Amino acid sequence: MASNFLRLRKPYYVESTINCSSSSDQKLVNLSFGIDETRNQTKKRQAKEHHGRRSCLDSCCWVTGYLCTTWWLLLFLYHCCLPFTVVHEVPELMPAARLKREGLTGIHPVVLVPGIVTGGLELWEGKPCADGLFRKRLWGGGGFTQLLKRPLCWLEHLSLHNETGLDPPGIRVRPVPGLFGADYSAPGYFVWDVLVKNLAKIGYEGKNLHMAAYDWRLSFQNTEVRDRALSRLKSKIELMYRANGNKKVVVVPHSMGVAYFLHFLKWVETPPPMGGGGGLGWCAEHIKAIVNIGPSFLGVPKAVSNILSAEGKDVAYFRAMAPGVLDSGTLGLRALEHVMRVSRTWDSVVSLMPKGGETIWGNMDWSPEDEHVCDFSKKRYFRLSPSDNNVNKSNAKQVFRVKDPVKYGRIISFGKAASVLHSSQLPTAVLKEILHMSASRNFTSSCGEAWTEYDEMSRESIQKIGAADKAYTATTLFDLLRFVAPKMMNRTEAHFSHGIADNLDDPKYNHYKFWSNPLEMKLPDAPNMEIYCSYGVGIPTERSYVYKLSPSNKCKRIPYQIDTSVDGEDRSCLKSGVYFADGDESVPVLSAGFMCAKGWKGRTRFNPSGINTYVREYQSKPLTSGIKSTAHVDIMGNIALIEDILRVAAGATGEEIGGNKIYSDILRMSERINLRL
Amino acid sequence: MSSLRRRKPINESSDSKHKAEEEDEDHDDVDADGDDDVNGKNKKTPSKIKKKRGEKPPKQPKWSCMDTCCWFIGCICITWWLLLFLYNAMPASFPQYVTEAITGPLPDPPGVKLKKEGLEAKHPVVFVPGIVTGGLELWQGRECAEGLFRKRLWGGTFGEVYKRPLCWVEHMSLDNETGLDPCGIRVRPVSGLVAADYFAPGYFVWAVLIANLARIGYEDKTMYMAAYDWRLSFQNTEVRDQTLSRIKSNIELLVATNGGRKVVVIPHSMGVLYFLHFMKWVEAPAPMGGGGGPDWCSKHIKAVVNIGGPFLGVPKAIAGLFSAEAKDIAVARALAPGFLDNDIFQFQTLQHVMRMSRTWDSTMSMIPRGGNTIWGGLDWSPEEGNSCAKKREKKNETQIADQAGSENAVCKAKSANYGRIISFGKDVAEAPSSDIERIDFRGAIKGHSAANTTCRDVWTEYHDMGFAGIKAVAEYKTYTADSLVDLLHFVAPKMMARGTAHFSYGVADNLDDPKYKHYKYWSNPLETRLPNAPDMEIYSLYGVGLPTERAYVYKLSPHAECSIPFKIDTSADDEDTCLRDGVYSVDGDETVPVLSAGFMCAKGWRGKTRFNPSGIRTYIREYNHLPPANLLEGRGTLSGAHVDIMGNFALIEDVIRIAAGASGEELGGDQVYSKIFNWSENINLQLDEEIPVHSSS
C-alpha cells in the first residue's frame, strides 16, 4: 500500500501546477493544502480502484524488481554456499600446502619480473581530460573502465612520445609499484596472484618477495633513464640478499620480463655511466637461479603482425566473423588504427620481434619446424602412450610428407601463393625497387594529420608492396618494417638489436642495445647460477602470416590485414591466414626453448662460464581447467610449474627437480639450427 | 528519472484540465481536489473515470503483495541506476563548481600555486607514517581468516571487523610474551605509497600531501613511504621485517639515483619517534645498529620535518593503556551508560580492545617521557596559568574582550594541576598536595579474586590483580608522570616488562654513560644525542588551538567480574580549570599537547645543547586550528587537528618549499601561536654538557 502511495505522490504535484495555469490561484492554494486532507480519502479510493491497467512503466519496474530480487537471492545463496565449494578446491589449488607438509620452507628470496601488458600503470600527471584520475590505474586492475568512459583521453595518456619514446609533455604515467603492480591484470584475471599465494604458504612475505614492476612500454634502458627501475631492482636484490642472511635470490621473470632481466644481468655488471657498476661477479654473488616462464628469448612472430597491422589471430578471426565492423568509419571508432597509433609508440614491442634472423627462424625454403605436425589433437593422443610413440610419429610424418612442408620461414607473405610457392618463383627485390622509386619522388602526404606512418607513405608504394607476391623472412622483415615505419624503427633500433653476433668480443657489443638479445650477449660469469626455461607446449601458436591489401584504401586506414579467407585443408597448420606451430599460444617453442636447449647448453660462446640450463615443458592436456592450463599467462596458475618454482626457491637444484622435462620437438628443431656455438 | 515518471501525468493532464474545469463548476474546491488527484493517480481518461465512478473497475489480474514488492524494488533500482549514471556522466570537476558557487573561488592547492612560482622537485622525500594510520595485510592466518590472503586487516574498509570480530582481534594481536607474531599468524605492513595514503576510503592521511608534491614533479622514484608494522616495538621491526635496513637501503638508493641530493624526511605522529630511533640505529655499529658510520645522517638527510610529533609522549597513551579509553570513549560511555559495559551480547568490546592493544609494544613508546621534570609534579606544571578562556573565545567570538579578561583572571586564580596526570576523584585533583593522604601502592600484595575463571577468553592483566591491588592503586590517589610508570608496572607487569626492554622514559644525567648505547634509549629524545650533522635541519610542525587531553580524573568502576576496574569519571566538570568530562585539557592538536610536540625544538635542541651537540638548527612551525567553513570543505584546509593537519594548505606549502630546497630561514623561521616558549622556560632541564663547552643561554 505504502508503495502505491509513493507512486502517486508525484502526479499530485504535477497536476496541481498544471492546473494552476488554467484555473485560479485560489485553487492552487487549496490544492496544496488539500493534499493532506485528501490523503486518507484517496487511499480508500485507491484501494478500490487502483487495480487498473498496469502501465508499461509499471511492468518495467516490476520486471526489474523481479530480476533484482532474484539476483540478490542467488548472490546470497552463492555467498552462503561458497565456503563449501571452496573447501574442495583448496588442496588442489595449493601445491604449497602439500609441499609445506613435506617440510619445505622458503629459503631464497624471490624476485618476480612481470612481462609486457601484465603490469599496472597509474597516472601521476595528466591532461585536463583525465581530471580526478591522479594515482588511479590506467592499465590493469580497474583501469580499463576508463577505456570505456573516455577512450580517446585514455589512449592519449597511454601513448609515449613519438620521437623520444619517453613521456609526452604534460603526461606522466608510471608503473604501479609492489605486488599490487601485477598480481591481477584485470579483476578476476590473475597473473601472479596464485604464485604469490603459494609462496606465502611456505613462508614468503614482503621482506623476501619482491615484484620488480617497471614501465613495460619503455625500452629497457629507458626504464633506467626515466624511472631508475634497474637501479632500484639492483638495490632491492642487494637488500634482500643481505637481509635474509646472504641467501641468493631466485628470479622469476615472465614473458618479456625474461628479456628485461637479461638486459639487467648485463647492465648490472657494466661500469657506471651506461651500466649499474655492480662489478664482475655481481650476478654470481647475488643470483641463485633464473626461472624463466614462457620466455620470449628469440622474440615472437606475433609482434610482427602487431606492428604491421595491429592485429593478431583473435582480431583476424573477429574481422572474419563480423566483416566491416572494425573497418567501418561510421562510428568514428576505428579501433585498430588507434591501437596501432598507440602501440607503435611503445618501444618495448620491438624487443619482441624475432631475433636471430634466418639462421633461427628459417629462410624462404627452410625452417627448423619443417617436420612439425599440426594436428594437435592427434599429437596429444599419441603422447599419452609412449610405448608406440615412435610408430605413431613416423606415421604422422609420412602423412605429412605427402604434402608440401609448411614454409614457416616466410613470416609475412602477401597472398597465399607467396607462402607456398618455391622461392625461385617469387619476384625479388621489390622492396628495393619501391624504395628507389619513392626516394626519387618528393612525396607529400595528402592525409592531413598523420596518424600512423602509413599516412606518410605514398599510396603507390603501399599498393606495390601488397600487390607483389612477396614473402619476407625474419631477416628481410626488418627491411619491410623500416620501409613502412621508418621513424619507429629508427627510434627503437637504438635500443634493440635482432641479429646474431659473429664475434662477441667486438667492443660494439658493450652497447646496451645488444643486452637483451641472447644471441648478441654473453651470459655473466656465474658458474653456479642456473637458468630454467619453463613454458607450456601443445597449443597452436602463431608462427607466420598471410597478408593482403585491405579493401578500403583511404587515409587513416591500415593498408594491410591478415587474409582470413586463406585456409589450409583439414588438419593443416594454416587457419584463417595464420600458420601455427607448437607453443604456448603466444611464444613458439623455438623461441622459448632454443637457448636453454642448445644456445646456452654446456659451455658455448654465449655461455662462457657454463651456467646450467634446464628446459621444463608443461604439456597442455585436452579440456584443461585453470590449474593445468599451459597458455602463456594461464601457466602462472599451473600447479606443476608452481611446484617447480617453490622447490627451486626452497633450495633445490635443477637436477633435484628432475632436470629436463621435454614434450615438444625442441631438441630436434634446435639440432636443425646451424648456429656456431 | 523524474522526467520519465512525469511524462504520463503530463500527457493526461491536458485531458484532465478540461475535466477539472468542468468539475470546478459543479463541486466545491475540496471535492475538485480529490477528483484531480484521482485523475492523476489512475492515469485514466476523464470519460473512463466518470464511468468508473459508478461501476466497479474492470476485472484485471490483481497485483499481489509480491508484485508490489517487486515493482517497488524495481522502481528503486531504476532510480538508483539512473542517479548512478548521472553521477558518473557528471564531469569530475562538478562538485568543485558547486563548492565554488557557494563559497566563492577556492584557493589554489599549494602544489599548483607553487608550481606557478616555478618550484620543482629537488630533494627526494621519505614519509614515515604514524601509529594506526598504516595499513596491515594478512600473509598467513588461522582458518577463520580463510580467503583474506593479502587483504587489508587494518586500514581500508575494516569490513572484517564486522564480519568476524573475534577472528580479527585474534589476528591483530601480537604474542603476549615476545611482542612478535603469534604462532601461525603473519600480519605484515602494506608497502608502498598505498600503505598510508588513505586510512579508510575517503579519509586521507598522506594522499593530499602526495598529490601536491606530484604537482611539482614528484613521483614514485622520488617519494618513498617507509611503511612499518606500527604494532611492534621499533627495534623489533628490524628483527622481524628488516624494516630499518630497508629504509636505510631505500634512502641510500634515493640519494644515489637523484644525483646525490639528500632526502627530506617527513615523519608524522609516532613516526617521529620511529625516525629518531632510525637515526641512532643507522649510525650504530653492526650487530645492534645498521652500521652506516657516524656521518650517515649528515650525508643522506637534508631535513627532518616532524608533523605533530609526540617527542615526549602523550597523556592519551596512559588512558589507553590504563583503561582502554580516551575522551571519545568516555563521552560515549557517559552518553549511553551501560552500553559499552554490558555483557549481554558477550561483546566486552573494551576488554577486547585492551587485550589487543596491550600486546602492541609500540603504544608504550607514547607514554610520557621525562617524568616530573617535563610534565610537572604534584603542585606545578609547565603549563601553569594556562586558561581555557582562549578556546572559549574562539568558540564564541562575540564575547566581549573584558569579559574574557575577567575569566582569565579567574583561571589564574584557580589553575589546574596538570602535573597530576591521573587522580582518583575530582577533589583529589584539585586539593593542595599537602592535603592528600597517599598510601604507597608499590608494595601492595595483589590478591587473587576467585571467580576470575569465568571471564571467558578475555585476558587483561587486571584479573591477576585482585581486589587488594585495585584498592591499593586507588588509595595512592594521584599520579604524576614519574609514578605513572610505576603504576603501569604494577597493573600490567607483563606488558611493561616487554615495554621497558624496548623503551625508556627518563631523562639522562650523563649521556656518555655506555648504557645509552642500548637501543631502548634511541627513541627518547631526552636520552639520546642527535647525530652529528650540522647541516641538517629539524622542524616541528604541529597544530594548536584545540583542547588536548592532558590529565584525567578517574574513578573505580562499579565492580563487575570481567570489566576493567578503572574508568574516567565523566561526571567531573569544571569550567574554570579546563576540566570536562573528567579530562583536563590544554592547548595542542587534539592528541599531542604543545609541550610534547614543541619542547625539544623550542628548548631541548635549540642551539648547541647536550642533546644536540652539533647544533642542528631547529624550527617550530605552528598552525592555528580553524574549523572548516562549511560541510563542503570536508575536513578543511586550515585544520590543526592531529591527522587533519596533513591536509592543511599552509603546512603543505611549507613542506613543499622545504622539499624544493628552501631552508628554515627562508621559510620564515619560527611561527608560534602558543605559549610554548614560556612553558619551556618553566622546565628546569640541564642542557649544557657536564663540562660546559659552549653555553647556549
Side-chain angles (χ1 to χ4, degrees), chain B residues 481-495:
Chain B
D482 273 341
S483 48
L484 263 177
V485 179
D486 297 328
L487 170 67
L488 287 174
H489 270 292
F490 183 75
V491 299
K494 280 189 202 158
M495 175 188 77

Side-chain angles (χ1 to χ4, degrees), chain B residues 304-557:
Chain B
V304 182
V305 186
N306 301 297
I307 300 178
F311 284 106
L312 303 177
V314 286
K316 218 178 192 175
I318 298 281
L321 289 171
F322 193 54
S323 64
E325 60 188 348
K327 195 177 58 180
D328 318 324
I329 288 177
V331 170
R333 177 177 272 161
L335 288 178
F339 177 73
L340 280 171
D341 303 314
N342 68 12
D343 281 357
I344 302 169
F345 304 109
Q346 308 193 353
F347 276 161
Q348 297 172 309
T349 318
L350 283 184
Q351 283 85 335
H352 279 295
V353 168
M354 180 175 235
R355 184 169 67 123
M356 179 174 73
S357 65
R358 276 198 176 177
T359 65
W360 298 346
D361 288 349
S362 61
T363 50
M364 282 175 278
S365 72
M366 312 273 272
I367 292 173
R369 294 147 195 270
N372 291 4
T373 321
I374 302 291
W375 294 95
L378 281 178
D379 288 321
W380 80 278
S381 72
E383 289 108 328
E384 233 156 34
N386 175 48
S387 70
C388 308
K390 201 173 102 196
K391 266 142 254 157
R392 218 171 302 136
E393 246 175 274
K394 219 163 283 147
K395 274 180 204 156
N396 190 0
E397 284 177 323
T398 54
Q399 229 170 9
I400 319 158
D402 58 356
Q403 195 183 336
S406 68
E407 259 181 327
N408 233 339
V410 174
C411 264
K412 258 177 199 148
K414 192 183 170 191
S415 175
N417 295 316
Y418 290 119
R420 305 174 189 180
I421 294 181
I422 287 185
S423 323
F424 279 91
K426 190 188 165 195
D427 46 338
V428 177
E430 286 168 354
S433 62
S434 52
D435 294 357
I436 305 172
E437 285 172 33
R438 303 205 295 176
I439 301 162
D440 202 348
F441 63 93
R442 290 177 184 95
I445 306 145
K446 297 178 182 179
H448 273 276
S449 58
N452 266 343
T453 43
T454 57
C455 285
R456 284 174 287 272
D457 56 343
V458 175
W459 177 90
T460 60
E461 288 188 64
Y462 283 124
H463 302 145
D464 299 335
M465 236 170 78
F467 300 113
I470 292 165
K471 197 157 171 271
V473 166
E475 279 177 354
Y476 192 62
K477 303 281 197 232
T478 179
Y479 296 84
T480 61
D482 273 341
S483 48
L484 263 177
V485 179
D486 297 328
L487 170 67
L488 287 174
H489 270 292
F490 183 75
V491 299
K494 280 189 202 158
M495 175 188 77
M496 288 304 286
R498 243 174 33 224
T500 43
H502 287 286
F503 300 107
S504 168
Y505 312 105
V507 179
D509 291 326
N510 175 13
L511 279 165
D512 288 325
D513 194 330
K515 77 168 181 177
Y516 288 115
K517 291 200 159 41
H518 191 266
Y519 60 76
K520 75 175 185 175
Y521 300 105
W522 288 346
S523 61
N524 182 355
L526 297 173
E527 290 179 306
T528 50
R529 288 202 181 102
L530 286 178
N532 179 27
D535 295 333
M536 205 168 97
E537 292 174 325
I538 294 183
Y539 296 82
S540 190
L541 281 55
Y542 53 90
V544 293
L546 282 165
T548 307
E549 295 164 60
R550 175 68 170 81
Y552 301 89
V553 176
Y554 263 86
K555 66 175 179 191
L556 283 176
S557 69

